[in-house]
Amino acid sequence: MAAILHADFDAFYASVEQRDDPALRGKPVVVGGDPNFRGVVAAASYEVRGFGVRSAMPMKTAMRLCPHAVRVPPRFDVYRDISRQVLEIFRVVTPLVEPLSLDEAFLDVTNRVDDVWTPVKIARGLKGRIKKRTALTISIGVASSKSVAKIASDMDKPDGLTVVAPGSEREFLAPLPVSRLWGIGPKTQERLALDKITTIGQLVERPAEWFAARFGKSGPFLRDLANGIDERPVVVERRRKSLSAETTLAVDSGDAEYLTEVVERLSQRVGSQLQRRGLEGRTVKLKLRLEDFTTFTRQVTLDGPVSSPDGVGRATTDMLRRELAPDRRFRLVGVGVSGFESGEDAEGENPLQPRLAGLI
Ligand code: DCP
Ligand code: MG
Ligand code: MG
């Protein structure tokens, strides 16, 4: 039986800001962009969540819900460093670590488990080590699969530890809303509600044919997930397929000079990331969103690979020029590069030998 951990920091960006500025502790904190420039909430501290503030909400809405909230701009470099530190701690336990984002990862500890080191004990050890090293709390879910572990890590936040014993997956999932399952978004949730299906328990009562009819090709997978079955392995190497950056403009604009400047800045950002990672791509993409939210992309495949900020900039500004028109105003622009020929694997290497004793 596999033993999978899913670890996820609590209110990550917001907790880091509270850690580094004692004046913010115990206060409603939102991390994100300026409300006057269409800023969005990246992270909401637990204090501000009581007011209904959530990630991805416009900052304007957040400040209306909680006018005394303190807004802090994000510090990605700091978050990235913490993320690296924690991955190192994870890799002391097992090389089988799959990062999902800066603040979360799966660990396959199956081969590390014995009579003394139960999965729960490993999870407790990790939580303690991370708290000591970063002064932050992380919540962990322990289960026999990725899907259940991920759902479990969210059950007891903040500073949670939720264990789903092998064999009790169905029982654990049954009372939870269907939206907890991978791939069930708000639309699917609404459609299921029309059939009086709101919990995972109600979903699993449906026969296989119903799943196939309702969800097509992904029917069997979803049915498995609802039953607590998920055979997907923890994947250590995940080669990056593309690099991109985008920005919503402060004001919709059709101004050629301004737009070119923005596209060049994004190209610089993507290009320098390419260089930092030693990547070369052949496909350069420009993403555009008009003021009416119509979104489209233009892309070009180059004769030779591109790896420099200027190379990316030449390709994107060319494409931009062709899209400019007197009556066209843009709301968002983005730049991306894909089609890599060589490449690193950011998270693949494991310099540390697994050493469980290091956890205590
Ligand atoms: N994030 C973001 N935009 C989003 C969601 C998240 O920029 N729409 C960033 C900020 C979060 C971090 O990613 O702090 C981690 O995302 P999580 O979904 O794990 O959310 P939190 O860690 O903030 O809270 P939780 O305690 O619920 O995990
Ligand atoms: Mg989190
Ligand atoms: Mg997360």
Side-chain angles (χ1 to χ4, degrees):
M1 180 63 71
I4 311 293
L5 270 49
H6 177 263
D8 184 298
F9 274 111
D10 304 315
F12 186 42
Y13 297 0
S15 305
V16 174
E17 298 309 325
Q18 289 179 320
R19 176 193 78 172
D20 293 350
D21 181 357
L24 297 177
R25 291 184 202 156
K27 299 252 169 67
V29 173
V30 280
V31 178
D34 190 330
N36 297 319
F37 293 91
R38 294 190 194 172
V40 169
V41 176
S45 76
Y46 277 82
E47 294 84 357
V48 85
R49 291 185 195 190
F51 295 85
V53 175
R54 296 286 181 274
S55 290
M57 180 181 272
M59 190 58 85
K60 265 211 170 109
T61 312
M63 296 313 273
R64 200 170 57 231
L65 288 171
C66 182
H68 62 291
V70 187
R71 185 184 70 85
V72 187
R75 294 181 300 153
F76 295 108
D77 292 349
V78 179
Y79 313 143
R80 213 169 287 133
D81 278 352
I82 296 169
S83 186
R84 273 192 211 118
Q85 277 177 25
V86 169
L87 289 177
E88 241 173 64
I89 294 174
F90 289 159
R91 290 183 183 125
V92 171
V93 175
T94 173
L96 299 178
V97 176
E98 177 182 347
L100 284 186
S101 71
L102 281 188
D103 98 320
E104 63 190 281
F106 286 112
L107 286 76
D108 184 339
V109 299
T110 313
N111 294 329
R112 312 303 301 163
V113 172
D114 57 28
D115 291 345
V116 178
W117 284 99
T118 60
V120 191
K121 195 168 171 201
I122 295 174
R124 258 194 223 115
L126 284 169
K127 278 166 64 73
R129 176 60 92 84
I130 289 165
K131 183 115 179 242
K132 214 160 133 193
R133 183 81 185 272
T134 68
L136 294 168
T137 60
I138 201 160
S139 294
I140 299 188
V142 182
S144 58
S145 70
K146 283 164 89 165
S147 165
V148 178
K150 183 158 164 79
I151 295 168
S153 74
D154 209 35
M155 294 298 291
D156 187 27
K157 270 178 170 286
D159 204 9
L161 175 54
T162 300
V163 184
V164 182
S168 67
E169 293 85 358
R170 276 182 63 128
E171 200 183 322
F172 164 75
L173 294 173
L176 302 178
V178 287
S179 56
R180 295 282 180 131
L181 292 177
W182 232 307
I184 298 202
K187 276 206 192 113
T188 313
Q189 194 182 358
E190 259 172 49
R191 271 200 300 150
L192 290 172
L194 295 177
D195 285 347
K196 303 245 174 327
I197 300 173
T198 56
T199 65
I200 300 176
Q202 290 161 344
L203 187 60
V204 291
E205 282 165 18
R206 299 288 165 139
E209 304 77 50
W210 179 89
F211 275 89
R214 177 50 73 94
F215 298 101
K217 259 205 303 210
S218 44
F221 175 62
L222 195 64
R223 181 160 185 255
D224 276 352
L225 289 189
N227 277 295
I229 299 165
D230 175 16
E231 309 273 337
R232 288 173 303 173
V234 170
V235 180
V236 178
E237 288 214 10
R238 244 203 313 196
R239 278 184 192 281
R240 201 175 259 286
K241 293 205 179 80
S242 68
L243 273 178
S244 61
E246 64 179 47
T247 185
T248 300
L249 306 175
V251 224
D252 297 344
S253 171
D255 183 72
E257 200 177 323
Y258 171 63
L259 289 166
T260 307
E261 201 182 289
V262 174
V263 166
E264 268 177 353
R265 184 160 45 81
L266 293 171
S267 304
Q268 288 289 326
R269 204 189 301 168
V270 172
S272 54
Q273 279 204 51
L274 282 176
Q275 284 180 330
R276 192 143 27 99
R277 296 165 191 270
L279 294 168
E280 302 188 304
R282 281 172 58 104
T283 305
V284 182
K285 214 179 259 184
L286 180 70
K287 175 176 172 186
L288 296 165
R289 179 169 295 150
L290 300 172
E291 56 189 333
D292 66 355
F293 283 87
T294 321
T295 309
F296 56 99
T297 55
R298 294 287 177 255
Q299 69 175 54
V300 58
T301 301
L302 305 167
D303 293 336
V306 65
S307 63
S308 72
D310 289 349
V312 179
R314 268 194 298 277
T316 50
T317 49
D318 266 0
M319 289 188 274
L320 173 70
R321 209 169 304 125
R322 272 177 256 132
E323 299 306 324
L324 296 170
D327 55 349
R328 247 189 177 178
R329 286 151 60 84
F330 298 92
R331 181 188 161 82
L332 172 146
V333 294
V335 165
V337 175
S338 57
F340 299 142
E341 298 192 329
S342 58
E344 48 112 49
D345 164 50
E347 315 295 354
E349 73 275 15
N350 172 35
L352 296 162
Q353 285 303 314
R355 246 184 313 110
L356 280 184
L359 271 185
I360 325 174

